[in-house]
């Protein structure tokens, strides 16, 4: 695994944030909506912290600022084998399945 910098992390987190929004709106199960909303909240807390950095800091190696990211990583990893039960649109399913490993890799740095 190559070391990811802050700019790499932001790119992955923006894409994950967008996908969590898509999944939230695509599901009709209120329990799943709650799950995805909570996950999006955890991710947003990390994004808020990263937005405090200056542009010059984006070249530095990424380090998690929010301890709750490990919970998000655990939730995403647990969902991965059964993702098709939670995500219904094929396009969203494929994007989400491809992004989860990259995001979890960042969370665990």
């Amino acid at each position: 695994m190559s070391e990811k910098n802050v700019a790499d992390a932001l790119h992955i987190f923006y894409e994950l944030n967008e996908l969590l929004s898509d999944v939230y709106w695509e599901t009709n199960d209120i329990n799943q909506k709650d799950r995805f909303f909570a996950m999006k909240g955890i991710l947003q807390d990390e994004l808020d912290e990263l937005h405090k950095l200056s542009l010059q800091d984006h070249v530095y190696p990424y380090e998690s600022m929010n301890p709750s990211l490990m919970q998000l990583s655990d939730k995403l990893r647990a969902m991965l084998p059964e993702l098709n039960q939670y995500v219904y649109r094929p396009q969203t399913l494929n994007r989400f399945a491809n992004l989860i490993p990259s995001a979890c890799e960042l969370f665990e740095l």
Side-chain angles (χ1 to χ4, degrees), residues 9-22:
L10 282 169
H11 176 73
I12 290 170
F13 291 164
Y14 287 143
E15 191 172 349
L16 182 59
N17 197 30
E18 179 184 334
L19 278 169
L20 287 171
S21 291
D22 290 348

Side-chain angles (χ1 to χ4, degrees), residues 28-96:
N28 57 2
D29 181 301
I30 191 67
N31 293 321
Q32 295 307 320
K33 282 191 181 290
D34 286 347
R35 168 191 264 181
F36 292 119
F37 185 81
M39 293 168 80
K40 192 168 167 49
I42 292 169
L43 182 61
Q44 189 59 54
D45 289 345
E46 182 72 2
L47 282 169
D48 290 346
E49 291 299 318
L50 289 174
H51 288 146
K52 294 176 185 176
L53 299 174
S54 72
L55 205 51
Q56 292 84 3
D57 293 337
H58 287 201
V59 297
Y60 292 120
Y62 169 73
E63 292 181 26
S64 172
M65 296 184 202
N66 183 352
S68 298
L69 280 180
M70 286 307 294
Q71 291 176 329
L72 181 56
S73 178
D74 293 343
K75 289 177 189 282
L76 287 171
R77 285 196 191 280
M79 272 178 56
L80 192 55
E82 303 167 343
L83 201 56
N84 60 349
Q85 294 177 9
Y86 309 112
V87 183
Y88 305 114
R89 281 186 64 221
Q91 178 182 357
T92 306
L93 178 64
N94 290 336
R95 287 176 55 212
F96 208 32

